């Protein structure tokens, strides 16, 4: 079944909700717009307006030299809130729907609290996002019976943290400032030797700090969609997160499928987690659990209550199918095909032709594109006809962005995906002056145990 045909099955299941209705979709990618229009037209919608943040809505956000992922999300929420006022956005939507009776669909990661008076389908329950707080989520793991690493949480830690920080293994610490939403994109996460724990005392005094050991293993993501009656569990992914020794941060760059022989037990664990989220939290919609695959099994660190960036490089019809399934699940519509959704995502993620990386460049850089090829373990400039990939600098909503596309069939066999990412960023510094600096891949670990069953069944 092609992705477009799978969208047709979703449309048939949702006819009672959309027949004869006008619909407004807010999404991230303009290339998704025709598939949203086709899906909703097949579902019987009277008319469809699709507004994408990288297309129609781009001019309504102030230009910025640099935004964090959390800042970009906050700015987009602020723009959506202007639907309730007299604004350029409300004028645009009112021209399409002057009676203000259209159904609103707002895709992940967006979760605005204000969208005006129109009906919104598939909004997220406020309690679910609470568990994205890194200083809270360990309670959830304990409640559902998912084995985790030890951790400690300090309120307004300050000097108390200095006295109680254990000596021994390296540590990871995550700061949650009071009154702020959970951060995205790995911001506010640091790693350090326990003897030299890096702290911003002013920040620590105004937030909660979770400290846990820096586990040895494969950083990975389990993700899926909790549907009304089943959980669709997707291909588990390795998180590409090179370390920055200079400041103890991580560069969150992309994902890569775990080896296929290791996927089945991780998919089973993903499905089990999804069912536990439904049972304990009445959860519906996209989710992911980030963690470390260790010799003792998977150890969770973070929960994301949304469809994640793992689908940023997916084919647009599949991305629309995943986002639509998540929205419909949150709306309580039971007929989405879980097995079909799993099959489509498995094929797309495992058989993608490219390793795709993305990061923000924090210093001035000129828009440019450089074809590159492998010369041993290094990437060097080459002609387009010889290229194994492309490095490109563009202006984006978060500022200057470096994107990397490397052919997966030409990745050197001796390099892991983590090492290939480090070499790509090193080439970007050399060829495009991106200033990313010295990066280290996480240390390889042999003997990780993907199949160990964690938690109670």
């Amino acid at each position: 079944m092609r992705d477009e045909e799978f969208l047709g099955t979703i449309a048939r299941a949702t006819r009672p909700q959309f027949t004869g209705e006008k619909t407004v979709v807010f999404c991230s990618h303009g290339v998704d717009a025709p598939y949203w229009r086709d899906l909703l037209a097949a579902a019987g919608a009277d008319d469809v307006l699709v507004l994408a943040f990288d297309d129609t809505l781009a001019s309504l956000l102030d230009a910025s030299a640099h935004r964090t992922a959390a800042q970009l999300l906050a700015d987009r929420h602020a723009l959506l809130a202007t639907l309730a006022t007299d604004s350029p956005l409300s004028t645009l939507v009112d021209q399409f729907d002057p009676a203000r009776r259209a159904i609103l669909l707002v895709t992940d990661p967006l979760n605005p609290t204000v969208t005006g008076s129109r009906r919104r389908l598939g909004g997220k329950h406020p309690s679910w996002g609470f568990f994205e707080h890194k200083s809270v989520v360990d309670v959830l793991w304990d409640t559902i019976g998912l084995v985790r690493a030890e951790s400690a949480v300090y309120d307004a830690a300050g000097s108390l943290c200095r006295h109680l920080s254990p000596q021994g293994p390296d540590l990871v610490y995550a700061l949650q400032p009071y009154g702020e939403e959970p951060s995205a994109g790995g911001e506010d996460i640091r790693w350090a030797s326990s003897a030299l724990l890096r702290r911003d005392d002013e920040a620590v005094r105004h937030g909660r700090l979770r400290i846990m050991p820096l586990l040895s293993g494969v950083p990975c993501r389990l993700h899926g969609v909790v549907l009304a009656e089943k959980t669709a569990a997707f291909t588990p992914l390795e998180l590409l997160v090179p370390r920055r020794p200079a400041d103890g941060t991580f560069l969150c760059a992309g994902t890569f499928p775990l080896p296929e022989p290791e996927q089945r037990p991780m998919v089973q664990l993903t499905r089990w987690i999804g069912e536990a989220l439904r049972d304990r939290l009445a959860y519906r919609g996209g989710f992911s659990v980030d963690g470390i695959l260790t010799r003792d099994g998977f150890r969770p660190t973070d929960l994301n209550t949304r469809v994640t960036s793992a689908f940023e490089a997916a084919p647009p019809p599949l991305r629309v199918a995943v986002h639509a399934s998540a929205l419909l699940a949150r709306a309580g519509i039971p007929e989405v095909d879980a097995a079909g959704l799993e099959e489509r995502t498995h094929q797309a993620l495992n058989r993608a032709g490219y390793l795709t990386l993305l990061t923000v460049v924090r210093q001035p850089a000129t828009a440019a594109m450089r074809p590159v090829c492998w010369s041993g373990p290094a990437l060097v400039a080459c002609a387009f006809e010889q290229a194994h990939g492309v490095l490109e600098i563009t202006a984006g909503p978060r500022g200057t962005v470096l994107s990397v596309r490397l052919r997966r069939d030409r990745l050197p066999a001796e390099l892991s995906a983590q090492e290939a990412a480090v070499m790509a960023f090193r080439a970007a510094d050399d060829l495009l002056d991106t200033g990313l600096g010295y990066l280290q891949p996480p240390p390889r670990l042999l003997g990780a145990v993907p199949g160990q069953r964690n938690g109670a069944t």
Side-chain angles (χ1 to χ4, degrees):
M1 180 186 297
R2 296 184 300 114
D3 290 335
E4 291 85 348
E5 294 171 340
F6 185 72
L7 285 174
T9 68
I10 297 176
R12 288 189 290 275
T14 57
R15 279 185 171 274
Q17 282 69 39
F18 294 109
T19 296
E21 302 282 1
K22 284 190 172 184
T23 308
V24 180
V25 180
F26 289 95
C27 63
S28 297
H29 301 282
V31 294
D32 294 356
Y35 300 99
W36 278 111
R37 285 192 287 267
D38 290 348
L39 167 65
L40 292 166
D46 177 59
D47 202 359
V48 181
L49 174 65
V50 183
L51 299 174
F53 279 95
D54 69 351
D55 186 11
T56 311
L57 301 180
S59 63
L60 299 183
L61 280 178
D62 293 335
S64 173
H66 171 68
R67 285 184 176 97
T68 65
Q71 288 168 341
L72 178 62
L73 189 60
D75 287 349
R76 289 180 172 179
H77 285 166
L79 177 60
L80 289 172
T82 67
L83 285 170
T85 67
D86 183 11
S87 70
L89 179 59
S90 63
T91 299
L92 177 64
V93 179
D94 285 349
Q95 289 172 349
F96 169 78
D97 175 40
R100 299 190 176 185
R101 296 177 59 86
I103 298 173
L104 295 185
L105 297 179
V106 184
T107 64
D108 289 338
L110 298 164
N111 184 38
T113 56
V114 178
T115 54
S117 59
R118 290 178 176 86
R119 294 169 292 167
R120 182 177 167 196
L121 186 75
K124 190 162 69 174
H125 195 281
S127 66
W128 299 340
F130 176 70
F131 289 98
E132 292 195 21
H133 288 265
K134 296 174 179 62
S135 60
V136 173
V137 71
D138 285 344
V139 174
L140 177 62
W141 308 142
D142 293 343
T143 300
I144 68 174
L146 185 59
V147 178
R148 62 174 176 88
E150 63 178 333
S151 65
V153 175
Y154 302 99
D155 274 299
S159 60
L160 180 65
C161 173
R162 283 193 290 272
H163 289 301
L164 296 183
S165 295
Q167 303 298 308
D170 287 353
L171 301 175
V172 176
Y173 58 104
L175 176 67
Q176 178 62 54
Y178 296 135
E180 294 186 15
E181 294 298 314
S183 60
E187 286 129 18
D188 293 328
I189 300 177
R190 299 289 186 271
W191 63 274
S193 164
S194 59
L196 299 170
L197 184 61
R198 295 178 175 88
R199 293 176 306 275
D200 181 336
D201 287 342
E202 181 63 27
V204 166
R205 282 196 294 271
H206 296 87
R208 306 189 81 203
L209 194 70
R210 181 185 70 175
I211 300 177
M212 61 186 299
L214 183 62
L215 300 175
S216 296
V218 180
C220 61
R221 170 169 292 171
L222 311 182
H223 61 142
V225 176
V226 181
L227 302 170
E229 297 174 346
K230 297 181 180 179
T231 294
F234 299 153
T235 300
L237 303 169
E238 181 173 1
L239 292 169
L240 304 181
V241 285
R243 302 177 185 178
R244 287 183 165 120
D247 62 2
T249 62
F250 299 90
L251 192 160
C252 299
T255 59
F256 196 78
L258 288 177
E260 290 203 50
E262 299 179 10
Q263 290 182 14
R264 177 183 286 273
M266 300 295 279
V267 166
Q268 292 173 344
L269 180 58
T270 303
R271 193 174 292 115
W272 177 83
I273 292 173
E275 296 300 303
L277 291 174
R278 183 196 293 107
D279 292 344
R280 293 287 182 168
L281 303 179
Y283 188 83
R284 303 290 189 279
F287 75 98
S288 76
V289 178
D290 294 345
I292 309 295
L293 184 56
T294 75
R295 287 195 177 95
D296 297 318
F298 177 76
R299 296 293 179 263
T301 55
D302 308 316
L303 173 71
N304 298 303
T305 57
R306 60 187 182 274
V307 175
T308 70
S309 58
F311 289 94
E312 288 295 289
L318 174 62
R319 188 164 53 227
V320 170
V322 172
H323 280 289
S325 298
L327 285 169
L328 298 174
R330 293 205 296 250
I333 298 171
E335 292 89 353
V336 175
D337 179 6
L341 193 60
E342 287 185 356
E343 177 187 358
R344 300 310 304 149
T345 58
H346 179 82
Q347 292 175 357
L349 295 175
N350 279 293
R351 299 173 189 174
Y354 291 88
L355 165 60
T356 302
L357 308 170
L358 193 72
T359 190
V360 174
V361 177
R362 304 193 179 194
Q363 67 181 37
T366 304
M369 178 184 291
R370 293 287 186 276
V372 291
C373 65
W374 293 101
S375 177
L379 282 167
V380 299
C382 67
F384 273 103
E385 58 269 21
Q386 300 170 321
H388 299 155
V390 173
L391 314 177
E392 185 173 13
I393 291 179
T394 57
R398 290 185 59 190
T400 304
V401 174
L402 169 68
S403 60
V404 178
R405 280 169 54 87
L406 301 175
R407 286 176 52 180
R408 283 169 56 167
D409 63 344
R410 300 308 296 264
L411 295 176
E414 68 272 19
L415 293 183
S416 67
Q418 302 278 1
E419 292 164 334
V422 168
M423 299 310 296
F425 294 135
R426 186 173 300 172
D429 277 359
D430 293 341
L431 301 175
L432 299 175
D433 195 27
T434 48
L436 297 173
Y438 177 64
L439 299 169
Q440 292 177 329
R444 290 192 185 190
L445 178 71
L446 301 177
V449 184
Q452 178 172 319
R453 185 73 178 196
N454 294 310
T457 57

